[in-house]
Amino acid sequence: EGCGKEGPIRCIFFCEFHPTAGPKLTCQVPEDFISKDKFEAVSVFLIPKSQLLRSILTITTYTIKILGFPMRIDDKKYPRNAYYFNVCFVCDSWARTVQYESVVKKLSDFLTVLEMESSFLSQREQNKQYAARLGEMLQQVLEQLNSSGMCTLVEGSASTHLKVINQGRGPPPVLDHQVPVFVESPDSFQTDQWDLTTQQVLPYIDGINHVLKIAALADVENNLVKTCLQNLVYYSVVRMVPIFQYSNSYSVSPKLRLLATDIKLQEECVRAVAKSGFQSPNLRDVFRMYCSMKHGTTIKDLCLRFNPQSLRIDEIRLVQFGMLHELIRRVHKYPVLIEHPEDDLTRGEASTLYCYFNGQQSYDEICCKVGISSQQLESLIERDHNVTVILK
């Protein structure tokens, strides 16, 4: 779907299969947007074989993306006992077009009704009024969908309402080493709202357990747990955050400034990070702890410096709230093998893990895959001169 960004409809064109000339581009708005050469290069896809009829087709070519819904009307009155056509939307090649799919289909169905009632499409060469009206309709659709996302077409007794529906993008895949955290209190959900797998998984979502551990505790196959959590992410029930460890480092984001000005966020933060529900921490202390998070400073360092318990702050909740509201971000460690030893003599202590040291897998991922703690991994890497660590 391109880069994921939405763009305007650049052109709408109508093409059909001529019994002697083959595929023809017979109407487009604006005129001459699609050249003859461009059309001929993709015409085999626009008027396709019968297996692809009444299917959404997306073709990316040159700098454009073409979205169509090829149709066939069977009737003995046509030269080949069938009439083939396709009305297509043209967007930039980088643009997301999934939101137009239902519109193209509905517009195609509307034109089919007009054709079956009055030969509106197939008789345009003989009836110039039909030809002009088709151009007007396509122009209306182009302008109104781009300006308001809606368009109503009326032709005789037939009418249709077209509306662009923006579809949310699916959540990213859930990874073994990620930790699900409830966005809202789990007490607000009823058990019978969920399927059996979700009901098995929910009790083990505590903001500490990672996906692989939840699967083991719930005795549910790992891929099922991932699918379940992905569904919960989609419906904003949970968010996925990195594993919490006292050896973790975090850095602040520009959004932290909101905590200094947004009263509602301040109140929510103080409630969320409180060690108990009886005494709230001081916002100033919470803000100071966030501001002290930086590269090379671990949560353990912060605890030794601030003693959050004496400040009535729960450091785990502090990190979770910061991650969920994007006030902070995790600084991950990525081991990289800088020298490839040619023999056993030059191999370091972490040699059995060299396959993971490609700079793309973090400590969390590696530890989760091989079943060791981050302290053990850190110790192995520190004693191995062939490996360095990138922080990002």
Side-chain angles (χ1 to χ4, degrees), residues 195 197-199 201-202 223-233:
D195 57 64
T197 302
T198 305
Q199 290 179 35
V201 167
L202 285 176
N223 286 328
L224 284 178
V225 173
K226 288 181 181 179
T227 302
C228 162
L229 291 173
Q230 196 170 22
N231 187 52
L232 293 176
V233 170

Side-chain angles (χ1 to χ4, degrees), residues 17-302:
F17 185 83
H18 192 276
T20 55
K24 287 183 65 177
L25 174 58
T26 53
C27 182
Q28 62 174 312
V29 291
E31 292 185 8
D32 301 323
F33 187 90
I34 301 294
S35 66
K36 183 180 179 181
D37 290 341
K38 281 186 179 180
F39 175 76
E40 289 179 350
V42 296
S43 61
V44 66
F45 304 108
L46 299 176
I47 307 292
K49 301 292 184 181
S50 58
Q51 295 90 333
L52 295 177
L53 294 172
R54 290 197 63 82
S55 300
I56 291 290
L57 299 181
T58 305
I59 306 151
T60 303
T61 176
Y62 303 100
T63 58
I64 59 173
K65 182 183 289 187
I66 302 172
L67 178 69
F69 191 75
M71 303 287 286
R72 180 182 71 187
I73 302 174
D74 294 310
D75 198 305
K76 292 182 179 179
K77 68 180 181 181
Y78 300 117
R80 296 196 179 190
N81 296 325
Y83 177 68
Y84 299 84
F85 75 90
N86 197 352
V87 59
C88 300
F89 288 10
V90 181
C91 300
D92 295 304
S93 59
W94 50 261
R96 186 169 182 254
T97 56
V98 66
Q99 70 275 16
Y100 296 124
E101 290 181 0
S102 60
V103 179
V104 169
K105 180 180 181 300
K106 197 170 184 180
L107 179 58
S108 299
D109 288 336
F110 176 67
L111 293 177
T112 299
V113 171
L114 297 184
E115 171 63 22
M116 295 176 70
E117 286 184 351
S118 61
S119 300
F120 179 82
L121 302 174
S122 59
Q123 294 297 313
R124 283 176 299 110
E125 289 187 6
Q126 294 78 17
N127 190 327
K128 300 302 180 184
Q129 185 178 352
Y130 284 171
R133 179 62 184 137
L134 178 62
E136 291 171 1
M137 289 167 60
L138 297 187
Q139 184 70 42
Q140 180 184 347
V141 172
L142 176 70
E143 292 177 355
Q144 293 187 2
L145 289 186
N146 279 340
S147 61
S148 65
M150 295 184 292
C151 177
T152 299
L153 295 175
V154 179
E155 184 64 26
S157 60
S159 65
T160 189
H161 181 69
L162 307 175
K163 184 175 182 179
V164 178
I165 300 175
N166 291 317
Q167 300 182 3
R169 302 180 71 184
V174 171
L175 305 176
D176 288 339
H177 61 279
Q178 291 180 314
V179 176
V181 177
F182 282 111
V183 176
E184 298 180 21
S185 171
D187 298 331
S188 60
F189 307 117
Q190 296 179 356
T191 306
D192 56 7
Q193 284 182 275
W194 310 110
D195 57 64
L196 292 176
T197 302
T198 305
Q199 290 179 35
Q200 284 180 265
V201 167
L202 285 176
Y204 301 101
I205 298 177
D206 60 359
I208 303 295
N209 295 332
H210 56 75
V211 173
L212 206 58
K213 187 173 182 180
I214 290 173
L217 292 172
D219 195 22
V220 176
E221 202 275 323
N222 191 32
N223 286 328
L224 284 178
V225 173
K226 288 181 181 179
T227 302
C228 162
L229 291 173
Q230 196 170 22
N231 187 52
L232 293 176
V233 170
Y234 182 80
Y235 288 106
S236 300
V237 176
V238 301
R239 290 268 300 276
M240 306 305 295
V241 299
I243 296 172
F244 175 87
Q245 296 181 95
Y246 284 94
S247 58
N248 289 357
S249 292
Y250 299 85
S251 65
V252 298
S253 79
K255 288 189 177 181
L256 183 61
R257 70 185 66 172
L258 295 175
L259 192 59
T261 57
D262 190 327
I263 295 176
K264 185 178 179 181
L265 182 64
Q266 292 173 358
E267 293 173 349
E268 186 181 352
C269 178
V270 168
R271 283 196 306 270
V273 307
K275 190 72 178 175
S276 70
F278 302 105
Q279 287 185 306
S280 297
N282 190 305
L283 177 65
R284 179 175 174 273
D285 295 328
V286 173
F287 197 76
R288 283 175 60 214
M289 285 197 69
Y290 276 134
C291 290
S292 299
M293 294 182 181
K294 58 184 178 181
H295 284 239
T297 300
T298 65
I299 296 299
K300 182 180 179 180
D301 296 334
L302 291 178

